[in-house]
Amino acid sequence: MGIPMEMTNNDKRADGNETQDVEATTKTRHKTSVFEAAVHLFKGSVGAGLFAMGDCYKNGGIIGSSILLPIIAVVCVHCEQMLIRGSILAVEKSKTATFYDYPDTIEKCFEAGPKPFRRLSKIMKLVVEMFLCITQFGFCSIYFVFITENLHQILHNYGIEISLNLTMLCCLLPAMIPSLMTNLKYISPVSAFANFALLFGLVATLTLAFLDGPIPSPAERNMFTTGSQLSLFFGTALFSYEGIALILPIRNSMKDPEKFDRRFGVLNISLFVITILFMFTGFVSYTKWGEDVAGSITLNLDASDKLSQVVKLAAALGVFFGYPIQFFVMMKIIWPPIKQNMGCAQQRPITVQVFFRFIMVLLTFGVALMVPELHLFISLIGALCSTSLAFIFPVFIDFVVRAQTPKGLGTWVYLKNMAILIIALLGVVSGTYESIREIVKAFQED
């Protein structure tokens, strides 16, 4: 999921002057058009999860997935609208700020809320930052697994018999070098290539699926699935839709921000297109390969076919070049508080940051090395973190914001928010449990 350069320039300095930084950045930033904002949102919402849509449909069933995916998309958009509303109100109450990102929004909303909630403002901000870090960390680790599995198939076909772990180790150094760079301008150009390679890989994979013999009848596949599989479906779907952290920066970067969240604005139209793309990819992939569909549909292609090898390599490169961008976003969240609280980091900021980046790359590599199944890792990150960021925290923001005005929290709003909250909590608990159970099971089988 490529992150445009202008969206990472809102990061706060360690000295706490986030208001001045944001305001200065907003004045100098190139304002984007409606089309550019839509492209950024598409880039931020479509990544490795797109190639997992076949596994998503396998866990949800053809009819079940086709019904649930649009519902999840609608709820995601609604929660993103609540986040936008909370951010706008928080900015309006500020005398100097022109923009708040996700963590700042939840902090400012809680600070202005009823007294019992005000003392939770710092904690809520910390929790959101922690979940954003875990999500980005998960993205980076998943990228390692995605690259390795595709590359391993190609090497194996050419008689290069090395283990999956050794293949992953070969990917470590190329991923390490750009990730040690502390300036985004040196690594952001690869974002465009990464997204082109991802889309090429998807189109080529689906084309090969159609050309490689007839597509079986959908009647041969499961229409619905059981509860445990639905938990995995929920996690994968939320992982694929995870882009809520980019909503506020994208909106703020527009020439006309009000065109972002109107009825036929950037948000609704983009998520509609993305949902159609997800559904088409999942339907074709699961119908074609059935229960054998892999965590990445590129893994279902014939590794001995030259064209398939090119497609696998293109998709792997697309994800590979996306790793430094995802890693950069994670470091922008983690590094400022570390720099503020470490004396050596203030004396030698570049040296310490490069060393810290080196350690963090090794950690993402280590987690990827330990998790044996790509699709289970995706479900785990989606269920645990993406669900909380996309559903739970926006509902908290809406509750606190509405509680500030008399009769703002009506019966219908209360019931609607509670329904979202209960479903999200069930998804978090069941999805996390089922993903961990399947990961442990995979360990035991190995």
Side-chain angles (χ1 to χ4, degrees):
M1 301 181 184
I3 311 298
M5 185 185 297
E6 65 266 26
M7 290 175 205
T8 61
N9 287 336
N10 290 314
D11 298 293
K12 303 174 288 297
R13 294 178 186 167
D15 58 11
N17 295 326
E18 70 266 26
T19 299
Q20 291 88 337
D21 285 347
V22 169
E23 189 171 13
T25 304
T26 303
K27 291 179 180 178
T28 59
R29 186 191 299 115
H30 164 67
K31 294 295 184 178
T32 59
S33 65
V34 169
F35 176 75
E36 288 172 326
V39 171
H40 290 331
L41 183 57
F42 181 85
K43 288 165 65 179
S45 301
V46 175
L50 177 59
F51 290 92
M53 278 295 110
D55 182 69
C56 187
Y57 259 67
K58 180 183 74 173
N59 288 320
I62 289 181
I63 295 179
S65 298
S66 299
I67 293 174
L68 291 174
L69 268 179
I71 293 175
I72 290 175
V74 169
V75 178
C76 278
V77 170
H78 179 68
C79 289
E80 287 163 354
Q81 296 279 9
M82 290 193 290
L83 175 62
I84 292 171
R85 179 170 174 266
S87 180
I88 292 173
L89 291 175
V91 170
E92 288 177 352
K93 292 181 179 181
S94 171
K95 296 180 180 179
T96 54
T98 57
F99 166 69
Y100 286 127
D101 59 11
Y102 197 160
D104 285 330
T105 294
I106 196 167
E107 179 188 27
K108 300 304 179 184
C109 287
F110 269 71
E111 281 182 357
K115 285 186 177 181
F117 294 98
R118 293 175 189 174
R119 67 185 67 178
L120 299 175
S121 60
K122 298 293 183 184
I123 296 176
M124 293 303 297
K125 179 183 179 180
L126 181 63
V127 171
V128 169
E129 287 180 331
M130 181 182 68
F131 273 73
L132 286 171
C133 287
I134 294 174
T135 302
Q136 291 300 133
F137 187 93
F139 286 163
C140 293
S141 297
I142 287 168
Y143 280 16
F144 260 124
V145 180
F146 184 96
I147 297 163
T148 302
E149 290 190 348
N150 283 278
L151 184 60
H152 184 260
Q153 278 193 348
I154 297 174
L155 294 176
H156 179 74
N157 182 69
Y158 282 96
I160 304 176
E161 300 294 339
I162 61 176
S163 67
L164 200 64
N165 291 346
L166 188 57
T167 305
M168 190 178 294
L169 185 61
C170 294
C171 299
L172 177 59
L173 184 60
M176 175 76 74
I177 294 173
S179 300
L180 295 181
M181 297 179 183
T182 59
N183 195 322
L184 184 62
K185 71 179 181 180
Y186 298 122
I187 59 177
S188 60
V190 304
S191 178
F193 175 79
N195 284 281
F196 171 78
L198 278 174
L199 289 177
F200 170 78
L202 174 67
V203 173
T205 299
L206 295 180
T207 301
L208 290 175
F210 280 107
L211 295 177
D212 184 27
I215 302 288
S217 170
E220 298 179 20
R221 309 305 180 201
N222 293 326
M223 297 294 110
F224 298 94
T225 55
T226 61
S228 60
Q229 282 187 286
L230 279 177
S231 298
L232 296 175
F233 160 84
F234 188 79
T236 304
L238 260 296
F239 173 88
S240 302
Y241 275 113
E242 177 51 40
I244 193 168
L246 302 177
I247 295 300
L248 296 177
I250 291 175
R251 185 183 186 277
N252 187 64
S253 71
M254 292 180 65
K255 296 175 185 177
D256 301 303
E258 68 277 358
K259 292 182 179 180
F260 183 81
D261 47 313
R262 61 174 52 169
R263 178 174 296 180
F264 294 103
V266 173
L267 180 60
N268 289 351
I269 298 299
S270 298
L271 264 293
F272 176 79
V273 174
I274 290 170
T275 301
I276 296 298
L277 180 62
F278 282 170
M279 292 175 66
F280 179 75
T281 303
F283 178 84
V284 172
S285 304
Y286 179 51
T287 304
K288 174 65 177 180
W289 292 295
E291 300 305 308
D292 294 325
V293 68
S296 167
I297 56 176
T298 56
L299 298 175
N300 287 108
L301 299 178
D302 183 7
S304 62
D305 179 67
K306 299 294 183 182
L307 184 56
S308 296
Q309 292 172 10
V310 172
V311 173
K312 290 172 184 285
L313 192 58
L317 284 175
V319 172
F320 173 77
F321 284 115
Y323 177 91
I325 306 292
Q326 295 293 344
F327 186 82
F328 188 91
V329 175
M330 178 179 69
M331 287 300 301
K332 277 295 184 180
I333 302 171
I334 299 176
W335 176 244
I338 291 179
K339 180 182 177 181
Q340 189 175 21
N341 294 300
M342 287 180 62
C344 60
Q346 295 177 8
Q347 295 171 3
R348 300 175 180 269
I350 301 298
T351 303
V352 176
Q353 184 179 170
V354 170
F355 179 74
F356 184 69
R357 283 171 173 267
F358 176 79
I359 298 300
M360 291 304 297
V361 172
L362 290 182
L363 286 176
T364 62
F365 171 79
V367 171
L369 202 63
M370 291 188 296
V371 177
E373 299 290 341
L374 173 65
H375 65 286
L376 296 177
F377 201 1
I378 289 175
S379 293
L380 176 60
I381 296 298
L384 180 61
C385 299
S386 300
T387 306
S388 300
L389 291 170
F391 289 170
I392 296 177
F393 295 127
V395 169
F396 286 168
I397 290 174
D398 194 58
F399 270 133
V400 173
V401 167
R402 290 181 181 276
Q404 298 173 27
T405 57
K407 299 182 180 179
L409 195 60
T411 303
W412 160 246
V413 173
Y414 180 82
L415 292 176
K416 180 261 299 179
N417 282 357
M418 286 304 299
I420 294 174
L421 202 57
I422 291 171
I423 293 172
L425 288 173
L426 287 174
V428 170
V429 175
S430 63
T432 302
Y433 169 78
E434 194 63 32
S435 298
I436 293 176
R437 190 177 72 87
E438 290 294 328
I439 289 174
V440 172
K441 184 178 176 182
F443 267 117
Q444 293 173 344
E445 289 175 355
D446 289 346

